[in-house]
Amino acid sequence: MSKLGKMYLRKREAMPMKNTPPESEVKEVNLDEILSQAGKAMRKQNYREAVKSLQVITSMVPEHVEAWNNLGVAYLLLGENQSAETALRSGLEHDPENPHLVKNLIQSLLPQEEKVMEGMNMLVKFLEIRPQDPDALYMLGRCLDAAGDFEKSTLIYERVLELDPDYQLATRALEENKKRG
């Protein structure tokens, strides 16, 4: 799975509902089973199916931060950046310091032309707090590539690989920069 697609699924119990319908009308919902379905769908790269399962979870347990993160990741992998942004911001309402939500939100903002600066500002703030985060440094390298500053991005990718020698995206980006001369 890509660095972007890290999944953090945790088993949770359903919260009691207000105005519960009569027993005969209630269909038991097993969140563990829905989480399992979402995880399987993500592993099979069936992101649309994962979205459906994760939407059920977030509607039943709105504070389920991991489900919001995974919903955002699924949308990112579908190329639906605005939907990803919405899901990730919802997760941040419950856990504003969650680094996975923040990094994935930045990923959702950077491709949206009108939100690039917001994404860049968030990335800079994130790196001030976590200067050794390989994912955030990789994103900075990609931003520098987009700006045409291949010399600086090469240094960034080299730093990413010092922190995580198996970071394949940084390896590929470094190779691309070396081909540029």
Side-chain angles (χ1 to χ4, degrees), residues 6 9 24 36 48 53 64 70-71 76 79 87 104 111-112 114 118-119 136 138 148 152 155 163 169:
K6 288 182 181 176
L9 296 177
S24 61
S36 176
R48 190 66 59 202
S53 295
H64 198 300
N70 292 338
L71 181 58
L76 281 169
N104 289 329
Q112 298 180 59
E114 70 282 4
E118 179 185 358
Y138 172 77
K152 284 184 185 171
L155 295 173
L163 296 168
L169 293 171

PDB file of all heavy atoms in Angstrom, residues 6 9 24 36 48 53 64 70-71 76 79 87 104 111-112 114 118-119 136 138 148 152 155 163 169:
ATOM      1  N   LYS A   6      -1.941   4.596   4.182  1.00  0.00           N
ATOM      2  CA  LYS A   6      -1.835   3.947   5.474  1.00  0.00           C
ATOM      3  C   LYS A   6      -3.213   3.923   6.109  1.00  0.00           C
ATOM      4  O   LYS A   6      -3.939   4.903   6.087  1.00  0.00           O
ATOM      5  CB  LYS A   6      -0.885   4.713   6.389  1.00  0.00           C
ATOM      6  CG  LYS A   6       0.557   4.576   5.998  1.00  0.00           C
ATOM      7  CD  LYS A   6       1.426   5.311   6.972  1.00  0.00           C
ATOM      8  CE  LYS A   6       2.875   5.195   6.579  1.00  0.00           C
ATOM      9  NZ  LYS A   6       3.735   5.971   7.447  1.00  0.00           N
ATOM     10  N   LEU A   9      -7.416   1.348  11.165  1.00  0.00           N
ATOM     11  CA  LEU A   9      -8.749   0.907  11.533  1.00  0.00           C
ATOM     12  C   LEU A   9      -8.702   0.342  12.943  1.00  0.00           C
ATOM     13  O   LEU A   9      -7.821  -0.416  13.290  1.00  0.00           O
ATOM     14  CB  LEU A   9      -9.247  -0.173  10.567  1.00  0.00           C
ATOM     15  CG  LEU A   9      -9.438   0.270   9.126  1.00  0.00           C
ATOM     16  CD1 LEU A   9      -9.862  -0.915   8.275  1.00  0.00           C
ATOM     17  CD2 LEU A   9     -10.470   1.364   9.024  1.00  0.00           C
ATOM     18  N   SER A  24     -38.364  -5.396  16.706  1.00  0.00           N
ATOM     19  CA  SER A  24     -38.676  -6.107  15.465  1.00  0.00           C
ATOM     20  C   SER A  24     -38.203  -5.359  14.225  1.00  0.00           C
ATOM     21  O   SER A  24     -38.008  -5.947  13.178  1.00  0.00           O
ATOM     22  CB  SER A  24     -40.186  -6.359  15.363  1.00  0.00           C
ATOM     23  OG  SER A  24     -40.867  -5.116  15.361  1.00  0.00           O
ATOM     24  N   SER A  36     -14.075  -4.388   8.924  1.00  0.00           N
ATOM     25  CA  SER A  36     -13.387  -5.452   8.198  1.00  0.00           C
ATOM     26  C   SER A  36     -13.674  -5.352   6.701  1.00  0.00           C
ATOM     27  O   SER A  36     -12.761  -5.491   5.874  1.00  0.00           O
ATOM     28  CB  SER A  36     -13.828  -6.812   8.741  1.00  0.00           C
ATOM     29  OG  SER A  36     -13.242  -7.852   8.006  1.00  0.00           O
ATOM     30  N   ARG A  48     -14.344   2.600  -3.942  1.00  0.00           N
ATOM     31  CA  ARG A  48     -15.750   3.009  -3.914  1.00  0.00           C
ATOM     32  C   ARG A  48     -16.507   2.200  -2.860  1.00  0.00           C
ATOM     33  O   ARG A  48     -17.309   2.733  -2.120  1.00  0.00           O
ATOM     34  CB  ARG A  48     -16.369   2.823  -5.309  1.00  0.00           C
ATOM     35  CG  ARG A  48     -17.722   3.414  -5.479  1.00  0.00           C
ATOM     36  CD  ARG A  48     -17.807   4.904  -5.393  1.00  0.00           C
ATOM     37  NE  ARG A  48     -16.999   5.601  -6.359  1.00  0.00           N
ATOM     38  CZ  ARG A  48     -16.590   6.856  -6.202  1.00  0.00           C
ATOM     39  NH1 ARG A  48     -16.909   7.547  -5.137  1.00  0.00           N
ATOM     40  NH2 ARG A  48     -15.852   7.437  -7.110  1.00  0.00           N
ATOM     41  N   SER A  53     -18.682   1.664   3.066  1.00  0.00           N
ATOM     42  CA  SER A  53     -18.565   1.108   4.421  1.00  0.00           C
ATOM     43  C   SER A  53     -18.127   2.177   5.420  1.00  0.00           C
ATOM     44  O   SER A  53     -18.671   2.262   6.529  1.00  0.00           O
ATOM     45  CB  SER A  53     -17.560  -0.051   4.434  1.00  0.00           C
ATOM     46  OG  SER A  53     -18.026  -1.120   3.654  1.00  0.00           O
ATOM     47  N   HIS A  64     -15.278   8.697  15.257  1.00  0.00           N
ATOM     48  CA  HIS A  64     -14.356   7.618  14.864  1.00  0.00           C
ATOM     49  C   HIS A  64     -13.304   8.195  13.901  1.00  0.00           C
ATOM     50  O   HIS A  64     -13.447   8.149  12.683  1.00  0.00           O
ATOM     51  CB  HIS A  64     -15.129   6.477  14.207  1.00  0.00           C
ATOM     52  CG  HIS A  64     -14.388   5.185  14.167  1.00  0.00           C
ATOM     53  ND1 HIS A  64     -13.181   5.029  13.523  1.00  0.00           N
ATOM     54  CD2 HIS A  64     -14.672   3.981  14.708  1.00  0.00           C
ATOM     55  CE1 HIS A  64     -12.767   3.782  13.649  1.00  0.00           C
ATOM     56  NE2 HIS A  64     -13.654   3.127  14.368  1.00  0.00           N
ATOM     57  N   ASN A  70      -9.528   7.109   6.991  1.00  0.00           N
ATOM     58  CA  ASN A  70      -9.578   6.121   5.915  1.00  0.00           C
ATOM     59  C   ASN A  70     -10.554   6.527   4.824  1.00  0.00           C
ATOM     60  O   ASN A  70     -10.305   6.268   3.646  1.00  0.00           O
ATOM     61  CB  ASN A  70      -9.920   4.754   6.484  1.00  0.00           C
ATOM     62  CG  ASN A  70      -8.793   4.213   7.335  1.00  0.00           C
ATOM     63  OD1 ASN A  70      -7.654   4.633   7.192  1.00  0.00           O
ATOM     64  ND2 ASN A  70      -9.106   3.312   8.233  1.00  0.00           N
ATOM     65  N   LEU A  71     -11.646   7.182   5.203  1.00  0.00           N
ATOM     66  CA  LEU A  71     -12.581   7.695   4.206  1.00  0.00           C
ATOM     67  C   LEU A  71     -11.874   8.741   3.338  1.00  0.00           C
ATOM     68  O   LEU A  71     -11.981   8.725   2.106  1.00  0.00           O
ATOM     69  CB  LEU A  71     -13.815   8.284   4.889  1.00  0.00           C
ATOM     70  CG  LEU A  71     -14.904   8.856   3.983  1.00  0.00           C
ATOM     71  CD1 LEU A  71     -15.437   7.807   3.018  1.00  0.00           C
ATOM     72  CD2 LEU A  71     -16.040   9.426   4.840  1.00  0.00           C
ATOM     73  N   LEU A  76      -9.074  10.210  -1.702  1.00  0.00           N
ATOM     74  CA  LEU A  76      -7.831  10.634  -2.365  1.00  0.00           C
ATOM     75  C   LEU A  76      -7.435   9.640  -3.453  1.00  0.00           C
ATOM     76  O   LEU A  76      -7.048  10.038  -4.551  1.00  0.00           O
ATOM     77  CB  LEU A  76      -6.688  10.756  -1.350  1.00  0.00           C
ATOM     78  CG  LEU A  76      -6.657  12.013  -0.508  1.00  0.00           C
ATOM     79  CD1 LEU A  76      -5.645  11.877   0.618  1.00  0.00           C
ATOM     80  CD2 LEU A  76      -6.351  13.236  -1.357  1.00  0.00           C
ATOM     81  N   GLY A  79      -9.223  10.075  -6.481  1.00  0.00           N
ATOM     82  CA  GLY A  79      -8.997  11.364  -7.141  1.00  0.00           C
ATOM     83  C   GLY A  79     -10.052  12.391  -6.797  1.00  0.00           C
ATOM     84  O   GLY A  79     -10.171  13.411  -7.468  1.00  0.00           O
ATOM     85  N   ALA A  87     -13.985  14.949   4.391  1.00  0.00           N
ATOM     86  CA  ALA A  87     -13.876  13.848   5.351  1.00  0.00           C
ATOM     87  C   ALA A  87     -12.747  14.100   6.353  1.00  0.00           C
ATOM     88  O   ALA A  87     -12.923  13.916   7.564  1.00  0.00           O
ATOM     89  CB  ALA A  87     -13.648  12.533   4.611  1.00  0.00           C
ATOM     90  N   ASN A 104      -2.845  13.868   5.360  1.00  0.00           N
ATOM     91  CA  ASN A 104      -3.762  13.511   4.284  1.00  0.00           C
ATOM     92  C   ASN A 104      -4.586  14.719   3.836  1.00  0.00           C
ATOM     93  O   ASN A 104      -4.888  14.852   2.647  1.00  0.00           O
ATOM     94  CB  ASN A 104      -4.649  12.338   4.705  1.00  0.00           C
ATOM     95  CG  ASN A 104      -3.867  11.042   4.779  1.00  0.00           C
ATOM     96  OD1 ASN A 104      -2.911  10.849   4.045  1.00  0.00           O
ATOM     97  ND2 ASN A 104      -4.251  10.163   5.672  1.00  0.00           N
ATOM     98  N   PRO A 111      -3.562  19.447  -4.751  1.00  0.00           N
ATOM     99  CA  PRO A 111      -4.009  19.381  -6.154  1.00  0.00           C
ATOM    100  C   PRO A 111      -5.140  20.356  -6.498  1.00  0.00           C
ATOM    101  O   PRO A 111      -5.458  20.530  -7.667  1.00  0.00           O
ATOM    102  CB  PRO A 111      -4.514  17.937  -6.315  1.00  0.00           C
ATOM    103  CG  PRO A 111      -4.061  17.208  -5.124  1.00  0.00           C
ATOM    104  CD  PRO A 111      -3.848  18.208  -4.047  1.00  0.00           C
ATOM    105  N   GLN A 112      -5.746  20.986  -5.488  1.00  0.00           N
ATOM    106  CA  GLN A 112      -6.844  21.921  -5.733  1.00  0.00           C
ATOM    107  C   GLN A 112      -6.241  23.317  -5.924  1.00  0.00           C
ATOM    108  O   GLN A 112      -5.783  23.928  -4.965  1.00  0.00           O
ATOM    109  CB  GLN A 112      -7.830  21.923  -4.563  1.00  0.00           C
ATOM    110  CG  GLN A 112      -8.505  20.587  -4.336  1.00  0.00           C
ATOM    111  CD  GLN A 112      -9.474  20.642  -3.178  1.00  0.00           C
ATOM    112  OE1 GLN A 112     -10.418  21.440  -3.202  1.00  0.00           O
ATOM    113  NE2 GLN A 112      -9.242  19.823  -2.162  1.00  0.00           N
ATOM    114  N   GLU A 114      -7.111  26.320  -6.145  1.00  0.00           N
ATOM    115  CA  GLU A 114      -7.474  27.440  -5.276  1.00  0.00           C
ATOM    116  C   GLU A 114      -7.070  27.208  -3.820  1.00  0.00           C
ATOM    117  O   GLU A 114      -7.165  28.114  -2.995  1.00  0.00           O
ATOM    118  CB  GLU A 114      -8.983  27.725  -5.366  1.00  0.00           C
ATOM    119  CG  GLU A 114      -9.892  26.674  -4.749  1.00  0.00           C
ATOM    120  CD  GLU A 114     -10.115  25.423  -5.595  1.00  0.00           C
ATOM    121  OE1 GLU A 114      -9.511  25.263  -6.675  1.00  0.00           O
ATOM    122  OE2 GLU A 114     -10.896  24.583  -5.145  1.00  0.00           O
ATOM    123  N   GLU A 118      -3.060  27.202   0.950  1.00  0.00           N
ATOM    124  CA  GLU A 118      -3.494  26.692   2.248  1.00  0.00           C
ATOM    125  C   GLU A 118      -2.749  25.394   2.567  1.00  0.00           C
ATOM    126  O   GLU A 118      -2.272  25.193   3.683  1.00  0.00           O
ATOM    127  CB  GLU A 118      -5.006  26.460   2.269  1.00  0.00           C
ATOM    128  CG  GLU A 118      -5.510  25.918   3.590  1.00  0.00           C
ATOM    129  CD  GLU A 118      -6.990  25.578   3.591  1.00  0.00           C
ATOM    130  OE1 GLU A 118      -7.688  25.789   2.576  1.00  0.00           O
ATOM    131  OE2 GLU A 118      -7.457  25.080   4.631  1.00  0.00           O
ATOM    132  N   GLY A 119      -2.654  24.518   1.573  1.00  0.00           N
ATOM    133  CA  GLY A 119      -1.928  23.262   1.756  1.00  0.00           C
ATOM    134  C   GLY A 119      -0.458  23.485   2.058  1.00  0.00           C
ATOM    135  O   GLY A 119       0.114  22.835   2.940  1.00  0.00           O
ATOM    136  N   ALA A 136       5.832  14.116   5.173  1.00  0.00           N
ATOM    137  CA  ALA A 136       5.726  15.566   5.000  1.00  0.00           C
ATOM    138  C   ALA A 136       6.908  16.100   4.187  1.00  0.00           C
ATOM    139  O   ALA A 136       6.730  16.971   3.328  1.00  0.00           O
ATOM    140  CB  ALA A 136       5.644  16.260   6.358  1.00  0.00           C
ATOM    141  N   TYR A 138       8.580  14.427   1.952  1.00  0.00           N
ATOM    142  CA  TYR A 138       8.337  14.008   0.571  1.00  0.00           C
ATOM    143  C   TYR A 138       7.373  14.982  -0.111  1.00  0.00           C
ATOM    144  O   TYR A 138       7.598  15.396  -1.258  1.00  0.00           O
ATOM    145  CB  TYR A 138       7.792  12.576   0.526  1.00  0.00           C
ATOM    146  CG  TYR A 138       7.351  12.175  -0.852  1.00  0.00           C
ATOM    147  CD1 TYR A 138       8.288  11.833  -1.820  1.00  0.00           C
ATOM    148  CD2 TYR A 138       6.007  12.189  -1.205  1.00  0.00           C
ATOM    149  CE1 TYR A 138       7.900  11.491  -3.106  1.00  0.00           C
ATOM    150  CE2 TYR A 138       5.606  11.850  -2.483  1.00  0.00           C
ATOM    151  CZ  TYR A 138       6.548  11.513  -3.435  1.00  0.00           C
ATOM    152  OH  TYR A 138       6.148  11.194  -4.710  1.00  0.00           O
ATOM    153  N   GLY A 148       9.755  23.899  -9.827  1.00  0.00           N
ATOM    154  CA  GLY A 148      10.927  23.864 -10.690  1.00  0.00           C
ATOM    155  C   GLY A 148      12.255  23.922  -9.951  1.00  0.00           C
ATOM    156  O   GLY A 148      13.304  24.070 -10.570  1.00  0.00           O
ATOM    157  N   LYS A 152      16.828  21.813  -4.758  1.00  0.00           N
ATOM    158  CA  LYS A 152      16.361  21.692  -3.365  1.00  0.00           C
ATOM    159  C   LYS A 152      15.547  20.427  -3.158  1.00  0.00           C
ATOM    160  O   LYS A 152      15.672  19.772  -2.120  1.00  0.00           O
ATOM    161  CB  LYS A 152      15.530  22.915  -2.966  1.00  0.00           C
ATOM    162  CG  LYS A 152      16.350  24.145  -2.693  1.00  0.00           C
ATOM    163  CD  LYS A 152      15.496  25.299  -2.222  1.00  0.00           C
ATOM    164  CE  LYS A 152      16.347  26.544  -2.068  1.00  0.00           C
ATOM    165  NZ  LYS A 152      15.511  27.733  -1.828  1.00  0.00           N
ATOM    166  N   LEU A 155      17.743  17.467  -2.525  1.00  0.00           N
ATOM    167  CA  LEU A 155      18.232  17.424  -1.139  1.00  0.00           C
ATOM    168  C   LEU A 155      17.159  16.891  -0.191  1.00  0.00           C
ATOM    169  O   LEU A 155      17.462  16.114   0.727  1.00  0.00           O
ATOM    170  CB  LEU A 155      18.688  18.815  -0.696  1.00  0.00           C
ATOM    171  CG  LEU A 155      19.900  19.389  -1.427  1.00  0.00           C
ATOM    172  CD1 LEU A 155      20.143  20.839  -1.012  1.00  0.00           C
ATOM    173  CD2 LEU A 155      21.132  18.530  -1.170  1.00  0.00           C
ATOM    174  N   LEU A 163      16.025   9.080   6.418  1.00  0.00           N
ATOM    175  CA  LEU A 163      15.081   8.755   7.488  1.00  0.00           C
ATOM    176  C   LEU A 163      14.386   7.419   7.256  1.00  0.00           C
ATOM    177  O   LEU A 163      14.087   6.693   8.202  1.00  0.00           O
ATOM    178  CB  LEU A 163      14.023   9.864   7.605  1.00  0.00           C
ATOM    179  CG  LEU A 163      14.541  11.233   8.016  1.00  0.00           C
ATOM    180  CD1 LEU A 163      13.474  12.299   7.808  1.00  0.00           C
ATOM    181  CD2 LEU A 163      14.990  11.204   9.479  1.00  0.00           C
ATOM    182  N   LEU A 169       8.666   6.079  -3.124  1.00  0.00           N
ATOM    183  CA  LEU A 169       8.281   7.289  -3.860  1.00  0.00           C
ATOM    184  C   LEU A 169       9.430   8.297  -3.889  1.00  0.00           C
ATOM    185  O   LEU A 169       9.670   8.943  -4.910  1.00  0.00           O
ATOM    186  CB  LEU A 169       7.029   7.919  -3.241  1.00  0.00           C
ATOM    187  CG  LEU A 169       5.741   7.105  -3.360  1.00  0.00           C
ATOM    188  CD1 LEU A 169       4.639   7.742  -2.521  1.00  0.00           C
ATOM    189  CD2 LEU A 169       5.319   6.989  -4.812  1.00  0.00           C
TER     190      LEU A 169
END
